[in-house]
């Protein structure tokens, strides 16, 4: 008795519209939510059945939590898609035939590497899934159906978000179902749905409960006859329009003691089955305890029956629609029904059936699909209380999760292994690995799962249990791993990296020594130690070339390119960064070095004032990060830094939106701190000192004084200093300034010191202005300013941006005017510092009021456009105090046309005479016309010839005509 669909025409129409939109305009995602039993799956199945015949449909189910089954819906969907495409065609759509990505899920695509990349392999996998889906949709429309997302594992949730945000070509419809009533406040799917719902390409659909008439139609279809109206109304009332409950009530019979409890209601049909059928359904509920289709062979093994006996026992359950026959297996009509049957079995029977299930899977892993045998086997052994078998299966399940880059699931399984360690006799023998191996794998999983703090604890425990002298290579790998985890938490962790390199002396193989060397070199660059960083990066590059290790070569080149960019050698920097990217692409490496390359290139361009190019590089790098599933990690770091050129270009809203998106991803603490600093800078400029202070405090909680990388630390202290000034705490601001500029390495990081010097000079000016009655404060301000001047004289000036900062500093310190700073910022096209320099130039004593007004008007226009409220207010106060108009002055009248004769040195009378000469008059005629004597006329003519440097009256007349000195006829 199969379930039927009644009503739902509006919902089917909404899905059909989404499909049409996906085919015409681009990918669409529909998320179908509702309570259990409302008919989500039935609706989607009916929609899929009505799709045009040329449409491919790939379907996958999430499995119930607790089994450690990673990517279950996607593995099933991709398996179906590859089967439909054919393995050869599918491989042709994928880079490298999918061997480095999807082959971990689908061996039909080729043999995947024995040792999956623990850090970057997930990026390849995500890119393969995206490429395969888009490639298949270019041939024929594709609908991907993902059922029961409320049970989705962390990796599946992340991949779903990745696909929704990155699918771009037309022809793809994603449909997901979930139980909305299961999503309490702490459910991990809630923030994912909230994030997806903001996309214009995502639609939400929630089927409504059935009306009384619709309930009547479903009951009639269920019973095969028209029911009495009273029966229909009673079923509608009791079921509240839920189709699953309608069917259960119809099966149970509403008259005469209808079961009240939901479980009893669902079990009414089950309890009417023959004894043999109930026993088999108990076995089926245990064997499929975590959902999905149950293979016939698996059920025969668990039930202990041969094929014919099993078929006889299961036929009544199929006939009554409790169990659905699907292909070569079975599935319960609804997860609630499966759970009710499972709970109906006695605990001892459940334990016995779990033991049989574990043994069956141990003997034949192919009884369950999609590579989840080890995880299901472990779950069955655990439920059966078989510790040693569960222990071994958990270790194999962790390896399976690692192979498909399901790092959160891998971590959770390995932590179960560690908790059970002491309760197992000879655990090393059972696993073929020692506790340090387990701890190392768990810490490694933390790096990709975003659990840095937990990873540090696990790596530390492993190092404490390891003899470093006896196994230096293993210890070095653990130290490098721990340093990476610590760095994500805002700790420089140089001690771990130095210890790792020390364990692998110069005589160690290049392939072994190169990796920690390249990591240490890059970390030293971040920690503002350029000389040591360059030496080690050069050594790492040599080691990478000797060992042909593409990753080591790429990282060494990225470090060297970053150092070149900081030194102002842009051409060399860009060449090295481009070489690193090319090595990465040629080697089929992950996208991580490509994202870091975009970050290094953008930083070099931005540091030299090439902000438009830097912003373009950031945009391209973010696209690479999105397509590789690195948004939350390296992509977050790129976005946090990438907001800086947008800020300097005056695109503040765009920069703020980018930074808020970064923070919404909950990135590693260090990247989060960087984003908060840049968001605080924008908030302060817009007048929200409270928000800026909160951002600065949050970033300082991560970095504090322990993170010495000046590229991160100095901008934070600059923000904190300016926030303190905005609050009127000048003494606190001075303390922050002192601590920020205390210590070595300032000359090597001049790019980040110059802005802080400018802030310091402004602070000293504020302190001097307010300390007329406080001699000690005034003296302290003068001493601080003298120290800043001394530092400025020693500080390098690399490129036009640093030149502009130096000009501004000198002007702020009173050592020169603001004209040079105005010219420098105008040339760079950075509107905010230009507006500030214009404002300060208008404030300077002795500036003519006209020039001051013009500077104020331009500064006010820029500040208003940017939304820089505090600066605009200061400009308006200055204008009011100095009685300067911020209104545009009326246009000046056109200047009078200059008199060409005057330019030739002629007097007014000589001009009159020349006009008559040009008209051909003689001296006598000139005298008569001008009422002068003929002799005087002759003197004027002689003077004219001398001034015009001509020899005759004729030449003078010709010159007058050529110069068009006279356009009107002479007066009579």
């Amino acid at each position: 008795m199969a379930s039927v669909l009644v009503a739902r025409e509006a919902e089917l129409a909404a899905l059909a519209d989404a499909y049409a939109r996906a085919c015409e305009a681009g990918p669409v995602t529909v998320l179908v939510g509702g309570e259990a039993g409302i008919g989500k799956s039935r609706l989607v199945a009916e929609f899929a059945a009505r799709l045009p015949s040329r449409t491919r449909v790939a379907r996958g189910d999430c499995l119930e939590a607790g089994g450690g089954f990673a990517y279950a819906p996607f593995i099933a969907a991709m398996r179906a898609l590859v089967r439909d495409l054919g393995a050869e065609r599918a491989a042709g759509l994928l880079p490298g035939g999918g061997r480095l990505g999807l082959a971990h899920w689908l061996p039909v695509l080729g043999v995947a590497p024995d040792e999956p990349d623990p850090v970057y392999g997930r990026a390849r996998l995500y890119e393969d899934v995206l490429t395969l889906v888009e490639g298949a949709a270019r041939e024929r429309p594709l609908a991907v159906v993902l059922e029961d997302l409320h049970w989705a594992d962390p990796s599946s949730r992340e991949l779903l978000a990745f696909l929704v945000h990155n699918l771009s070509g037309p022809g793809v419809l994603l449909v997901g179902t979930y139980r909305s009533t299961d999503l309490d406040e702490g459910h991990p799917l809630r923030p994912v749905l909230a994030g997806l719902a903001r996309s214009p390409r995502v639609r939400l659909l929630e089927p409504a409960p059935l009306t009384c008439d619709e309930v009547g139609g479903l009951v009639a279809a269920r019973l095969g006859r028209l029911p009495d109206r009273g029966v229909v109304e009673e079923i509608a009332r009791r079921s509240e329009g839920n189709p699953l409950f309608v069917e259960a009530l119809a099966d149970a019979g509403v008259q005469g003691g209808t079961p009240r409890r939901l479980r009893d209601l669902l079990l009414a049909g089950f309890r009417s089955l023959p004894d043999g059928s109930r026993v088999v359904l108990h076995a089926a509920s245990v064997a499929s305890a975590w959902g999905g289709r149950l293979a016939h062979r698996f059920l025969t093994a668990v039930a202990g029956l041969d094929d014919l006996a099993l078929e006889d026992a299961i036929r009544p359950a199929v006939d009554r629609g409790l169990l659905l026959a699907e292909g070569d297996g079975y599935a319960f009509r609804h997860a609630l029904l499966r759970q009710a049957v499972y709970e109906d079995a006695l605990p001892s029977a459940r334990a016995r059936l779990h033991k049989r299930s574990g043994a069956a899977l141990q003997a034949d892993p192919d009884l369950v699909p999609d590579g989840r045998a080890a995880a299901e086997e472990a779950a069955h052994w655990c439920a059966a209380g078989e510790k040693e078998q569960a222990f071994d299966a958990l270790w194999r399940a962790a390896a399976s999760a690692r192979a498909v880059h399901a790092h959160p699931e891998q971590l959770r399984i390995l932590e179960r292994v560690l908790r059970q360690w002491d309760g197992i006799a000879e655990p090393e023998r059972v696993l073929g690995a020692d506790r340090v191996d387990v701890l190392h794998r768990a810490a490694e999983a933390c790096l990709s799962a975003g659990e840095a703090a937990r990873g540090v604890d696990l790596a530390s425990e492993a190092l404490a249990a390891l003899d470093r002298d006896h196994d230096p290579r293993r210890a070095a790998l653990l130290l490098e791993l721990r340093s990476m985890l610590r760095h994500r938490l805002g700790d420089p962790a140089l001690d771990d990296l130095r210890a790792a390199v020390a364990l692998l002396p110069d005589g160690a193989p290049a392939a072994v020594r190169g990796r920690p060397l390249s990591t240490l070199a890059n970390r030293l660059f971040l920690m503002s130690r350029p000389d040591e960083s360059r030496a080690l990066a050069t050594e790492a590059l040599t080691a990478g070339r000797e060992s042909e290790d593409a990753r080591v070569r790429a990282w060494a080149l990225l470090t060297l390119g970053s150092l070149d960019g900081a030194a102002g050698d842009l051409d060399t920097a860009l060449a090295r960064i481009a070489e690193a990217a090319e090595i990465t692409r040629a080697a089929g490496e992950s996208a991580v070095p490509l994202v870091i390359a975009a970050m290094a290139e953008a930083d070099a361009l931005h540091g030299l004032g090439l902000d438009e190019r830097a912003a373009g590089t950031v945009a391209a790098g973010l696209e690479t990060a999105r397509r590789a599933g690195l948004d939350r990690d390296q992509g977050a770091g790129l976005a946090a830094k990438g907001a800086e050129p947008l800020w300097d270009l005056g695109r503040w809203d765009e920069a703020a939106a980018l930074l808020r998106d970064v923070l919404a991803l909950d990135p590693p603490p260090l990247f989060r701190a960087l984003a908060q600093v840049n968001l605080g800078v924008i908030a302060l400029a817009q007048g929200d000192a409270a928000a800026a202070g909160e951002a600065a405090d949050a970033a300082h909680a991560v970095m504090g004084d322990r993170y010495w990388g000046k590229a991160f630390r100095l901008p934070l202290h600059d923000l904190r200093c300016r926030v303190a000034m905005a609050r009127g705490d000048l003494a606190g601001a001075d303390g922050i300034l002192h601590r920020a500029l205390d210590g070595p390495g300032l000359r090597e990081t001049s790019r980040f010191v110059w802005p802080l010097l400018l802030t310091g000079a402004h602070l000293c000016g504020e302190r001097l202005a307010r300390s007329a009655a406080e001699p000690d404060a005034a003296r302290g301000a003068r001493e601080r300013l003298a120290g800043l001047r001394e530092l400025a004289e020693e500080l390098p000036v690399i490129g036009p941006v640093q030149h502009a900062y130096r000009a501004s500093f000198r002007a702020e310190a009173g050592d020169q005017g603001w004209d040079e700073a105005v010219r420098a910022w105008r040339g760079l096209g950075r509107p905010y510092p230009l507006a500030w320099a214009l404002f300060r130039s208008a404030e300077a004593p002795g500036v003519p009021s006209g020039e001051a007004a013009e500077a104020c008007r331009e500064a006010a226009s820029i500040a208003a456009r940017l939304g820089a409220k505090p600066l605009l207010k200061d400009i308006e106060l200055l204008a009011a105090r100095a009685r300067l108009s911020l209104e545009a002055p009326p246009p000046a009248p056109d200047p009078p046309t200059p008199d060409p004769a005057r330019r030739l040195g002629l007097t007014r009378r000589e001009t009159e005479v020349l006009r008559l000469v040009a008209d051909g008059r003689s001296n006598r005629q000139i005298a008569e016309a001008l009422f002068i004597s003929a002799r005087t006329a002759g003197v004027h003519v002689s003077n004219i010839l001398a001034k015009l440097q001509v020899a005759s009256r004729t030449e003078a007349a010709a010159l007058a005509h050529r110069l068009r000195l006279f356009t009107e006829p002479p007066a009579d």
Side-chain angles (χ1 to χ4, degrees):
M1 193 185 307
S3 176
V4 297
L5 183 75
V6 299
R8 301 301 187 218
E9 292 305 319
E11 291 87 348
L12 287 168
L15 286 166
D17 179 70
Y19 172 81
R21 181 74 177 171
C23 292
E24 295 168 6
V28 176
T29 298
V30 181
L31 299 172
V32 184
E35 64 177 320
I38 199 65
K40 303 178 293 297
S41 297
R42 185 68 187 83
L43 168 68
V44 172
E46 180 67 23
F47 163 69
R50 297 185 183 187
L51 286 172
S53 58
R54 64 185 300 267
T55 305
R56 290 189 173 99
V57 178
R59 180 181 180 278
D61 296 336
C62 298
L63 304 180
E64 287 193 53
F69 314 121
Y71 295 119
F74 287 103
I75 294 176
M78 293 305 101
R79 185 183 298 276
L81 181 55
V82 169
R83 186 167 52 244
D84 189 60
L85 285 165
E88 185 176 350
R89 174 66 186 134
L93 293 172
L94 298 170
R99 192 182 65 83
L100 296 177
L102 265 179
H104 291 286
W105 286 1
L106 309 174
V108 70
L109 295 176
V111 179
D114 292 335
E115 188 65 17
D117 188 323
V119 180
Y120 307 134
R122 182 178 54 178
R124 296 193 189 99
L125 174 64
Y126 283 18
E127 184 70 18
D128 271 7
V129 174
L130 177 67
T131 302
L132 182 63
V133 169
E134 290 187 329
R138 281 194 293 271
E139 299 177 353
R140 291 162 51 188
L142 170 64
V144 179
V145 178
L146 307 170
E147 293 272 20
D148 296 322
L149 290 173
H150 51 280
W151 286 330
D153 56 277
S155 296
S156 292
R157 292 193 296 268
E158 189 168 340
L159 180 52
L160 171 64
F162 169 80
L163 287 176
V164 171
H165 291 310
N166 287 280
L167 283 167
S168 57
V172 181
L173 175 67
L174 292 180
V175 180
T177 68
Y178 66 95
R179 287 186 199 165
S180 55
T181 50
D182 281 17
L183 306 187
D184 56 30
E185 286 297 324
H187 197 287
L189 186 63
R190 283 180 67 93
V192 176
L193 293 177
L196 296 181
R198 289 195 291 268
S199 170
R201 298 188 302 186
V202 174
R203 304 180 182 185
L204 303 179
L205 182 63
E206 188 155 344
L210 300 179
T211 65
C212 187
D213 288 342
E214 291 166 348
V215 167
L218 180 55
V219 173
R222 192 74 180 171
L223 299 179
R225 56 180 171 79
L226 290 174
D228 293 339
R229 182 66 183 177
V231 171
V232 170
E233 291 176 349
E234 180 65 9
I235 291 177
R237 183 183 68 81
R238 289 178 179 271
S239 68
E240 297 181 345
N242 183 296
L244 177 67
F245 304 156
V246 169
E247 292 177 345
L249 285 165
D251 291 347
V254 74
Q255 302 296 333
T258 300
R260 294 181 179 181
R261 294 176 56 211
L262 173 60
R263 190 166 70 86
D264 290 341
L265 177 62
L266 293 173
L267 288 174
F270 167 77
R271 287 174 175 159
S272 67
L273 292 173
D275 291 347
S277 296
R278 293 201 303 274
V279 169
V280 170
L281 255 64
H282 279 148
S285 72
V286 170
S288 63
W290 290 277
R293 185 181 60 81
L294 177 63
H296 178 84
R297 292 190 303 119
F298 192 7
L299 186 53
T300 60
V302 177
L305 300 174
D306 61 28
D307 287 341
L308 292 178
L310 180 67
E311 289 169 6
D312 287 343
I314 213 167
R315 171 59 65 182
V318 172
D319 289 343
R320 298 190 184 190
L322 302 176
L323 208 63
L324 307 177
E326 295 184 351
D328 62 347
Y330 312 96
F332 279 90
R333 178 161 57 92
H334 198 280
L336 291 179
L337 175 60
R338 183 187 69 242
Q339 184 66 25
V341 172
Y342 179 88
E343 292 172 355
D344 183 73
L346 294 172
S348 59
R350 287 202 298 265
R352 183 175 64 254
L353 291 169
H354 275 301
K355 186 175 180 178
R356 286 186 186 176
S357 299
L361 290 173
Q362 187 179 53
D364 185 1
D366 291 334
L367 291 175
V368 293
D370 305 332
R372 67 177 199 250
E376 282 211 37
E377 181 191 339
H380 283 300
W381 288 127
C382 288
E386 299 290 334
K387 293 183 178 180
E388 186 167 311
Q389 290 92 333
F391 190 68
D392 172 57
L394 284 169
W395 178 243
R396 288 184 279 111
S400 297
R402 181 173 184 262
V404 296
H405 314 294
H407 305 295
E409 292 75 18
Q410 179 195 2
L411 174 61
R412 184 161 55 85
I413 295 169
L414 289 174
E415 289 195 310
R416 291 179 67 185
V417 171
L418 291 168
R419 286 195 299 271
Q420 295 181 18
W421 189 273
D422 294 334
I424 302 296
E426 302 182 64
E428 293 89 349
R429 175 191 57 80
V430 175
L431 301 187
D434 62 16
R435 187 177 177 86
V436 171
D437 286 327
V438 181
L439 289 164
H440 192 163
R441 287 288 176 89
E444 194 177 63
C446 287
L447 188 65
S448 297
E451 300 285 347
R454 177 61 180 144
V456 169
D457 291 341
L458 291 164
S460 297
E461 185 179 349
L463 284 164
L466 188 65
D467 184 343
R468 300 187 186 190
D469 294 332
H470 181 260
D471 199 345
R473 179 176 181 179
R474 200 175 176 198
L477 290 174
L478 272 168
L479 286 164
E480 184 194 17
L481 173 60
R482 187 171 70 175
S483 82
M484 295 168 71
L485 291 160
R486 289 171 60 192
H487 191 243
R488 304 261 175 122
L489 298 172
D491 185 339
L494 285 176
D495 53 341
D496 276 349
L497 287 173
R498 292 192 190 281
V501 172
L503 284 169
L504 302 170
D506 292 343
V512 175
R513 182 174 166 80
R515 179 166 173 174
L517 264 180
S518 63
T519 305
L520 177 57
N522 189 262
R523 190 74 51 79
L524 286 166
F525 163 71
L526 295 176
M527 293 302 108
S528 312
R529 298 191 177 181
D531 294 340
E532 189 179 0
S533 172
R534 187 177 293 277
L536 290 180
T538 302
E539 184 181 349
L541 182 58
T542 300
R545 286 169 175 162
E546 289 178 3
S547 61
E548 297 183 352
D549 189 319
R551 185 183 300 174
V552 171
R553 289 163 57 206
W555 277 103
L557 284 165
L558 287 173
T559 301
L560 290 169
S562 299
L563 289 163
D564 294 329
D569 187 353
L570 184 61
D571 290 342
T572 303
L574 297 183
R576 280 179 159 154
I577 293 167
E579 185 181 355
E582 183 57 35
I583 288 171
T584 299
R585 294 188 188 97
E589 283 287 330
S590 81
V592 170
L594 299 179
V595 178
I596 300 299
M599 193 184 304
E601 180 178 337
D603 197 52
L605 293 167
H606 177 239
L608 294 174
L610 302 172
D611 299 326
E612 289 286 1
R613 287 178 61 187
T617 299
V618 169
L622 289 176
E623 180 62 24
T624 299
R626 275 191 289 269
R627 291 185 67 86
L630 297 171
D631 304 61
R632 184 170 174 260
D633 205 328
Q634 284 80 7
L638 173 61
K641 287 289 289 180
E644 293 172 2
L646 294 175
W647 150 266
D648 280 320
L649 288 166
R651 292 153 61 177
W652 290 6
D653 290 344
E654 191 177 342
L658 182 60
L659 293 167
R660 282 192 287 267
D661 287 346
V662 169
L663 294 174
L665 293 171
D666 189 25
L670 188 59
F671 294 154
R672 186 169 67 245
L674 179 58
Q676 286 164 331
V677 169
N678 287 332
L679 197 59
V681 168
I682 298 174
L684 187 62
Q686 292 176 330
D688 193 345
E694 290 174 4
D697 290 343
H700 190 252
V702 174
M703 288 192 274
D705 292 325
R706 65 175 179 165
Y707 194 85
W708 347 302
K710 290 185 171 54
F712 287 11
R713 181 185 178 193
L714 292 183
L716 167 60
H717 290 326
D718 190 13
L719 173 63
R720 294 178 65 227
C721 185
R722 290 191 287 121
V723 166
M725 291 171 63
R727 293 170 173 169
D729 182 10
L730 301 188
D734 185 65
I736 295 170
L737 180 69
H738 173 71
R739 288 190 295 276
L741 296 177
D742 184 31
L746 296 177
R747 282 183 52 83
E748 292 78 9
T749 52
S750 59
R751 172 182 170 185
F752 305 102
V753 177
W754 279 115
L756 195 56
L757 288 182
L758 177 57
T759 297
H762 181 58
L763 170 62
C764 291
E766 290 289 308
R767 294 179 67 198
L768 286 169
R770 299 186 193 184
S771 60
E774 302 177 29
D776 290 343
R779 183 169 55 254
R782 284 191 291 269
E783 290 174 354
R784 174 72 65 210
L785 186 56
L788 297 178
R789 286 190 176 109
E790 183 179 341
L791 176 57
E793 288 301 315
E794 299 174 355
L795 208 59
V797 178
I798 300 172
V801 176
Q802 294 182 41
H803 168 78
Y805 272 113
R806 182 178 65 177
S808 296
F809 168 78
R810 287 178 172 175
E812 195 71 64
D815 298 331
Q816 66 180 41
W818 281 92
D819 290 350
E820 184 182 351
V822 169
R823 285 193 299 271
W825 291 120
R826 195 185 299 281
L828 285 166
R830 293 190 173 182
Y832 185 69
L834 171 61
W836 176 261
L838 286 164
F839 161 63
R840 296 292 284 134
S841 71
E843 270 192 325
V847 177
S849 60
E851 293 181 16
E854 185 177 350
C856 279
R857 279 193 290 272
E858 184 180 359
S861 174
I862 294 171
R865 175 171 56 83
L866 294 176
K869 296 176 184 177
L871 177 57
L872 182 60
K873 182 179 179 181
D874 287 343
I875 295 168
E876 291 171 344
L877 288 173
L878 171 63
R881 186 174 66 247
R883 298 181 180 179
L884 303 173
S885 174
L886 294 179
E887 298 294 330
D894 293 337
T897 303
D899 185 353
R902 291 293 180 93
R903 293 204 310 268
L904 296 173
L906 302 180
T907 66
R908 188 172 64 82
R909 176 60 82 181
E910 288 170 347
T911 303
E912 294 172 342
V913 171
L914 177 60
R915 181 171 186 157
L916 294 170
V917 169
D919 197 41
R921 309 244 184 140
S922 64
N923 287 351
R924 183 176 60 79
Q925 290 171 322
I926 292 171
E928 290 175 354
L930 298 179
F931 303 99
I932 59 175
S933 67
R935 177 175 178 165
T936 301
V939 172
H940 284 314
V941 171
S942 297
N943 290 337
I944 290 169
L945 296 179
K947 290 181 179 181
L948 297 183
Q949 299 180 3
V950 295
S952 66
R953 298 165 70 96
T954 304
E955 289 184 24
L959 179 61
H961 286 301
R962 188 167 65 250
L963 295 176
R964 309 184 98 176
L965 295 180
F966 311 113
T967 57
E968 298 177 2
D972 291 336

